Every structure is written in C-alpha cells, then in structure tokens.
Amino acid sequence: MTTLDQPQPLVTGTASRDRTDDRRRTAGDTVIRVMIYALLSLGGAVVLIPFFWMLSTSFKATSDLFNYPPQWIPQPALPGNYVEAWTALPFNRFLINTVFMTVLAMFAEIFTAALVAYGFARFRFPWRNGLFIVLLSTMMLPGILTLIPKFLIWRELDRINTFSPMTVGAWFAWGPSFIFLLRQFFLTIPREIEEAAIIDGASVFQVFREIMLPLVKPALLAIAVLSFQANWNNFEGPLIYLSTLEKYPMVLGLQFYGATLSNAAPQWNYMMAMATVMAAPILLLFFLAQRYFIEGLTVGGVKG
Amino acid sequence: MLSWYTLALVDYVVVGVFVLAAMVGLHWLLRRLGVKREAATGYALILPWVLGLVIWNLGPFLASLYFSFTDYNILQPPEFIGFDNYVRMFTDDNQFWNVLRFTLLYSVINVPLGLLGALLTATLLNQDVRGLGAWRTLYYLPAVLPAAATALLWRWMFTENGLINSIFGPVLSLFGVGRPAWFTDLDLVLPSYIIMGLWGVFGANTIILLAGLKGIPRDLYDAATVDGAGRFRKYLDVTIPMLSPTVFYVLILGVIGSLQSFTVAFFIETPRRAGTFMNVYIYQEAFDRNRMGYASALGWVMLLIILLFTLLVFRSSAAWVHYEGEKTNG
C-alpha cells in the first residue's frame, strides 16, 4: 500500500496555499489515475484477446476461419466442432491416461514433498543446511542432462512404453521447488504448538498429520494446483517413454493432431477446441484456488 | 487393455511402500546406532529426497558425464572417444551454433523485457487500484494456459492471414511493408517466439513483483516524504532497493526457465535453418538420431551455460540486491 498518489499533508504553509496545492495535486492525480487504468486495461486486452480468439475459433466453421475483417463472434457457432475433434482421435482414452498419470504423480509428489519439507524445517541433524543447499542447487540442473541416463534406467527395468516413468519417480520428492515452498511455510509455525502435542504423547507422524498439515493448507493447495498443472501438461516424459497411441495423454494427442492434420490444411478450429478442452480444468482449478494459489506462489519470492 | 493400468499401479504401490519402509527402517537403524531421536527422525523424513537425489540426479548426472566422452547409439555399448564430441560440436556442427545463438538470444532478450514489463505493470497495480484481485487473476491467466495450447494458439494467430496480420496488416501496409510470415519466415522465428514468450511469462512475474511491492514497509516512504523526497526519488531510493531481492528471484527463475524452453517447439513448425531451442536439439540428437553420446555432451554444455548465467546474476547481485537486515531463518 504505497501512498504515492495520495496528496500528502503539508508540513508547513498557510491554509490558502494548502488548499490550492491540494487542488492542483488532485487534478494531476485524476489524470494519472485515468492513465493507470487505461494502461492496465490495455495490458488486460493484450492478455485476453488471444484467449477470446482461441474460444471463438473453436466454434467456427472451417470456411469462416480466415474471414476479413476478423469475425469475433462465430456465425454460425458450431459446438459440434468439439465432438468432431474429440472423436477424430481416441480422446476418451487420452483423457483416462492423463487423469491416471496426473492423480498418481500428484499424490506421491505432494506427500513426499511435505515429509521432506517437514524434516528440513523442524529437525536438527548434522549436514542439514548443506543438504538443503544441495536441494536448492538441483533446481538449476537442466532436466535434459539426466534424461538419457534416466531413459536407460527405465529401459533396463523394461518399463519403456508404460506409465511408470511418469508416476513412480514422484515417490522421491522430485519437485525441489515444492519442498522449498512448504519448508518456508513450516518455518512460520510456532514450535510451541508441536511441543505441546509431543508432551501429550503424540507421535511424529500424528503431529505431522493432525497439526502441521492442516496449518499449511494454503501452501498445500498452491502446490496441488502447480502439481496438477505440471503433470497434466507433462509433455517431455510421454514423448520419450510412450510409443503407442492408446497410451498417449491428451497433450500428445494434441501434438499428434496438429502435426498430422497440418499435412493437409491445418484444422485450426479443431485444434483450438482441443486446446480449450485441455486448458479448461487448469483454468477452473486456478479460479477455485486462486486466493491460496497466489499466496503460496509469492511466498518463495518474498520470504525467500 | 486394463493391464497397462494394473502394471503401472503395481509399480507405483511397490515403490511407494518401499520408500515408506525405508524411512521407518532408517529411523530404527539410526536409533540402534545411538543417534539422537531428533536427528534420526530428520534423516528418515528427508530420505525420499536423498534417495531421489542419488538415483535420479547424482547417478544420471555422472553417467551423462561419462556418455559425453563416448560414441553411443544405445544398441551397441558406449565406445570411449575422449573429447571428440566436444571438438565436433565446436568445429563441425553448424546447427549447434545456430541453436546456441537462438537459445541465448531468446533468453537475453526475453528475460529483461519480461522483467521490465512486469515491473511497470506491478507498479501500476500497486497504486491502490480498484478490484486488485480481479486484475491479478487476469494478468496471471497466460501462465495457467498449457504450453502446448499457448504454442498452437500463437501459431494460429501468427499465420499469414491470421489475427495478428489482420489487425496490424493495414498499419504495416502504410509503411509499404507486406504481411510478415512470422513463424515461417527465417528472420522472424526468433521475434515471434519472443513475443509469445513475453505474453506467457510477464503476468506471472507481475504477480510475484507485486507481492514484493506490497511487502515494503510503509514507514520507509513516510520517512522519505519527511526528508522531502518526490515521487520519483522515492521510487528510486526506496522501492527499487527494497524490491531488488524479488527482482533477483524473478531474474534467476526467468533465466533458468527460458534457457530450457522445450515443449512449445513441438507444436510450431519453423524453418530448420532458423535454429531452435538447445533442449529440443539435444532431444533430437538423442532420440531421433540415436546419438546418445553427442547429446550428453550438448547437455553438459547446456549445464555450463546455465551455471555461467546464474553465476553472473549471483555475482552482480552483490552490487544491486539489497538485503534488509540480512535475517536468516532456521
């Protein structure tokens, strides 16, 4: 809450000078405020127009795609595009696969990240700070570097073209940023709360589940959204490990779609329809959890 | 049909149980060895991450270093060839230079521009505007859109007769410029990616910077006012230094993220000669052309570049990042 735009009380000066000064400032402020809203609206338009265009295109007839001037509201509007695009490829199957991988990875990832974060935040042990620095520095490690050896490991385990590479690794707390975020939240909770419970004879796991986890709910929700987003959109993993169409997640279907159909004329309306479908759950989740989400997201940057 | 899911579920449960059992086992073992309860619990709790570090980071990290000195096509065992991969990269691979130039230019232009735009927007949003929550949600939207959808959407808007050219074409024709071909024009691939990238990232940066601005104590401004500082002076002497740790955070994440762009390139067709992102090139070398050794060497060069950039930002931060009180947690 800055006060940059509000008239500041003058320390010195007569009453009349006070008033003229105030009026001049207020007039200037009005101009500035109008400019602020104008600029913000312009930025908002830049953000929103592509979204609107995606939605609008998804309902258009193929013959209307390139109308000039651009047709903002589709005439006629064809909701049938969604059905046709969905059934042109086995999107039912893609959806099941995506949900399957997302749910498994999310649960293991959040569960282990919370345990590890709790360990780093609350227990003193030798090398703790050193290990935590190692954890932070793994964020810098480019994923592509370890990709080939990881691929070879899964190949040795005979798990190529299975869902396991996208789900099993989540048990090893594979998101260092989630651990970091949760640790920051755990640190803000007063120790007395746990100590009281421990004196009452609660075990570490009880304290963790019944006291600590409920207290960091905003962070858990933020991480749930981020984790959902990352796994739902995971492209690199399926691209490398999956090779049969029936095992593809939606994002690979989308790519397959764009690439194969573009050999003829790209079916932009179908493509936009499927892009909308893929984005819809994430957008919905974001709207539902946005308060927690933004709080959780920003804590790393501010308290870090 | 169902068996794929069953197999994946079995793997998942087995590994999950193994990790939890290992935690309990480690705790028991450490206690037997006379380690204090608190330390034993701590080690047990961070075990999943430690296991992951060894199995999925450290091991693969060292393996890729070894592979980078070999000729390895996955079918035959790797053959040690010394520095040949690195030599070839710098002396006999034009596409490498193309890709390197493309990736570096993308980051070097995209990150500062995105930061400046976000700083401006966050400053505007911090002027007691009405409906702040709605603005914040609005500006964050592009970051929520899946990368695949973003790429397809911009590819569609950037087609020759697409939305962008329909809107800006008439303006351009005033200057006698024809309709740009964006992603399919050799010279415009990079600018097109930068425009798309800016749209995608600046909102998220805005939200983080705005939180930083909100965290600046008000009495600092009051003190500056008493000292007779004007609006601009206050921004320069109070806002910028107090915000610098947040700017630093955004900058580091921006550099690391933008250097590793990957997904978008698979949804947009561009001329090969224009270059692409380094991670895409590494993927192609490894999985399209089965050159695992060469791809590993490229990966190591990528790591060094990321380290170099991060180090640069860290080193320079001593000069411009201001830490109030240098408080440490935990």
Side-chain angles (χ1 to χ4, degrees):
Chain A
M1 296 288 179
T2 71
T3 53
L4 296 189
D5 283 308
Q6 286 160 3
Q8 303 293 329
L10 290 177
V11 180
T12 56
T14 63
S16 67
R17 266 184 59 201
D18 243 294
R19 212 176 301 130
T20 50
D21 205 79
D22 262 9
R23 200 165 51 226
R24 190 170 54 78
R25 283 189 171 213
T26 314
D29 272 357
T30 311
V31 174
I32 286 178
R33 293 210 77 77
V34 169
M35 272 171 62
I36 287 173
Y37 284 108
L39 280 172
L40 285 176
S41 306
L42 184 73
V46 171
V47 167
L48 275 190
I49 286 173
F51 275 97
F52 186 78
W53 193 240
M54 177 168 88
L55 207 61
S56 159
T57 305
S58 72
F59 286 106
K60 276 183 190 171
T62 309
S63 56
D64 288 337
L65 287 176
F66 293 102
N67 281 4
Y68 188 84
Q71 192 186 49
W72 292 102
I73 308 291
Q75 288 285 348
L78 304 175
N81 281 351
Y82 281 80
V83 180
E84 282 167 42
W86 186 269
T87 47
L89 283 169
F91 263 97
N92 279 330
R93 179 61 48 193
F94 296 164
L95 177 65
I96 294 171
N97 297 339
T98 310
V99 170
F100 183 79
M101 286 189 271
T102 303
V103 168
L104 293 191
M106 256 180 93
F107 174 75
E109 176 174 52
I110 297 174
F111 180 67
T112 50
L115 287 176
V116 174
Y118 186 46
F120 272 118
R122 272 302 194 263
F123 298 87
R124 280 178 300 255
F125 47 86
W127 305 327
R128 183 181 68 173
N129 291 341
L131 284 169
F132 194 67
I133 289 170
V134 172
L135 183 135
L136 290 182
S137 55
T138 55
M139 284 197 222
M140 261 183 287
L141 199 68
I144 199 92
L145 189 65
T146 49
L147 199 64
I148 293 170
K150 276 186 207 161
F151 178 81
L152 296 173
I153 294 175
W154 288 115
R155 194 162 153 273
E156 277 306 304
L157 296 171
D158 201 19
R159 288 293 183 276
I160 299 302
N161 204 18
T162 72
F163 297 124
S164 297
M166 273 68 70
T167 54
V168 169
W171 283 114
F172 299 92
W174 64 10
S177 56
F178 293 167
I179 299 174
F180 175 67
L181 204 75
L182 278 170
R183 172 184 171 269
Q184 299 300 95
F185 265 84
F186 280 131
L187 286 175
T188 61
I189 299 171
R191 265 177 187 276
E192 290 77 27
I193 296 180
E194 295 155 87
E195 277 158 8
I198 291 171
I199 290 167
D200 289 346
S203 73
V204 171
F205 197 72
Q206 276 172 325
V207 171
F208 175 70
R209 208 188 54 194
E210 279 152 35
I211 299 172
M212 297 308 271
L213 281 189
L215 284 173
V216 294
K217 218 164 107 192
L220 285 176
L221 279 169
I223 285 173
V225 176
L226 287 172
S227 163
F228 178 83
Q229 193 183 1
N231 289 302
W232 185 266
N233 294 337
N234 184 2
F235 173 74
E236 200 177 78
L239 177 73
I240 287 159
Y241 293 110
L242 299 179
S243 49
T244 47
L245 191 69
E246 293 81 14
K247 293 178 187 168
Y248 280 3
M250 287 174 72
V251 68
L252 275 193
L254 201 63
Q255 196 232 1
F256 192 77
Y257 209 110
T260 47
L261 295 185
S262 69
N263 288 337
Q267 295 273 36
W268 295 108
N269 41 359
Y270 291 1
M271 240 188 257
M272 288 303 109
M274 289 302 97
T276 308
V277 168
M278 224 194 110
I282 303 173
L283 289 171
L284 189 73
L285 205 64
F286 170 65
F287 279 119
L288 290 178
Q290 58 148 314
R291 200 160 53 86
Y292 302 110
F293 181 61
I294 285 172
E295 186 190 339
L297 186 80
T298 48
V299 79
V302 181
K303 291 186 189 162
Chain B
M1 280 284 259
L2 264 173
S3 62
W4 313 327
Y5 302 105
T6 319
L7 174 76
L9 267 177
V10 169
D11 280 358
Y12 181 80
V13 171
V14 166
V15 174
V17 168
F18 165 78
V19 169
L20 293 179
M23 290 171 75
V24 175
L26 180 72
H27 186 260
W28 178 82
L29 185 72
L30 288 175
R31 291 292 289 153
R32 288 297 294 270
L33 293 172
V35 178
K36 272 194 302 184
R37 179 179 287 275
E38 185 181 0
T41 311
Y43 284 124
L45 282 171
I46 68 164
L47 184 67
W49 171 74
V50 174
L51 286 176
L53 180 74
V54 175
I55 304 172
W56 301 114
N57 277 315
L58 232 49
F61 186 69
L62 295 176
S64 83
L65 181 62
Y66 168 68
F67 289 142
S68 78
F69 294 107
T70 64
D71 184 8
Y72 185 28
N73 65 4
I74 243 189
L75 300 173
Q76 282 112 16
E79 185 189 332
F80 192 79
I81 54 167
F83 282 91
D84 280 11
N85 283 328
Y86 293 95
V87 172
R88 195 183 124 218
M89 195 185 307
F90 288 102
T91 57
D92 194 27
D93 183 0
N94 283 330
Q95 187 63 4
F96 168 72
W97 290 107
N98 252 343
V99 168
L100 188 64
R101 192 184 57 98
F102 188 91
T103 310
L104 291 182
L105 274 178
Y106 176 76
S107 281
V108 164
I109 300 173
N110 196 38
V111 173
L113 276 184
L115 190 62
L116 276 180
L119 196 57
L120 177 74
T121 318
T123 307
L124 290 177
L125 284 175
N126 198 30
Q127 308 302 312
D128 291 324
V129 295
R130 280 163 181 270
L132 184 64
W135 285 111
R136 256 194 330 202
T137 309
L138 172 65
Y139 279 108
Y140 194 75
L141 276 183
V144 184
L145 195 64
T150 307
L152 286 178
L153 174 58
W154 280 88
R155 179 174 154 205
W156 160 229
M157 290 198 298
F158 270 143
T159 49
E160 198 120 22
N161 294 311
L163 184 67
I164 302 281
N165 279 351
S166 297
I167 294 176
F168 296 103
V171 183
L172 288 176
S173 66
L174 286 179
F175 299 96
V177 183
R179 296 180 156 217
W182 301 109
F183 279 121
T184 44
D185 182 330
L186 195 60
D187 297 321
L188 290 182
V189 173
L190 184 64
S192 308
Y193 266 118
I194 290 171
I195 293 170
M196 183 178 90
L198 286 175
W199 182 79
V201 77
F202 103 104
N205 288 346
T206 302
I207 304 307
I208 298 174
L209 289 172
L210 180 62
L213 285 173
K214 296 272 182 222
I216 301 176
R218 195 193 173 118
D219 46 343
L220 288 179
Y221 289 106
D222 295 343
T225 310
V226 171
D227 290 347
R231 206 175 269 182
F232 188 65
R233 254 278 55 99
K234 275 191 268 189
Y235 195 77
L236 228 55
D237 290 349
V238 179
T239 310
I240 298 280
M242 289 304 289
L243 193 63
S244 56
T246 315
V247 170
F248 176 67
Y249 174 79
V250 169
L251 200 59
I252 289 276
L253 288 190
V255 168
I256 295 176
S258 68
L259 283 173
Q260 299 191 66
S261 304
F262 181 78
T263 304
V264 284
F266 286 82
F267 292 85
I268 296 171
E269 284 161 358
T270 54
R272 187 180 133 81
R273 272 196 306 140
T276 181
F277 296 104
M278 190 59 112
N279 278 10
V280 178
Y281 186 53
I282 295 174
Y283 166 82
Q284 290 167 343
E285 285 294 311
F287 295 98
D288 291 347
R289 297 188 262 282
N290 279 338
R291 295 182 196 143
M292 298 287 172
Y294 190 57
S296 298
L298 288 167
W300 271 84
V301 170
M302 194 62 204
L303 173 68
L304 293 181
I305 290 171
I306 290 177
L307 285 182
L308 191 77
F309 267 84
T310 320
L311 209 68
L312 225 80
V313 179
F314 262 101
R315 270 296 165 86
S316 74
S317 75
W320 61 269
V321 176
H322 172 87
Y323 284 107
E324 191 72 7
E326 300 279 5
K327 201 173 65 186
T328 48
N329 281 324

